[in-house]
Amino acid sequence: MTEGALDRESKAEYNITITVTDLGTPRLKTEHSITLQVSDVNDNAPAFTQTSYTLFVRENNSPALHIGSVSAT
């Protein structure tokens, strides 16, 4: 979730932390940070189709497994 609209006019680059947890005992958790660069084709801030995205992944997958995509218009 973002705290507000991502606007290239005010900030061109965002650092995003992705947190992943499981429901096991003990509960496992990992975090990964990515850098998001916002391009500005027009003067409208990006709009996401959802306010929150949840992805479910089965255990013991390849480290390079593509688990989903998020896009904005």
Side-chain angles (χ1 to χ4, degrees), residues 7-22:
D7 186 2
R8 169 77 167 86
E9 304 291 324
S10 61
K11 191 172 183 181
E13 187 174 284
Y14 295 84
N15 292 317
I16 297 175
T17 301
I18 299 170
T19 304
V20 179
T21 60
D22 71 3

Side-chain angles (χ1 to χ4, degrees), residues 6-43:
L6 304 180
D7 186 2
R8 169 77 167 86
E9 304 291 324
S10 61
K11 191 172 183 181
E13 187 174 284
Y14 295 84
N15 292 317
I16 297 175
T17 301
I18 299 170
T19 304
V20 179
T21 60
D22 71 3
L23 299 176
T25 303
R27 196 170 260 206
L28 301 176
K29 175 182 173 182
T30 189
E31 293 183 346
H32 185 77
S33 296
I34 61 171
T35 300
L36 175 70
Q37 296 178 339
V38 179
S39 61
D40 191 7
V41 176
N42 56 34
D43 287 334

Side-chain angles (χ1 to χ4, degrees), residues 41-62:
V41 176
N42 56 34
D43 287 334
N44 298 315
F48 290 91
T49 55
Q50 298 172 218
T51 56
S52 177
Y53 294 85
T54 302
L55 302 170
F56 295 96
V57 182
R58 292 181 185 254
E59 290 186 71
N60 303 321
N61 286 303
S62 164

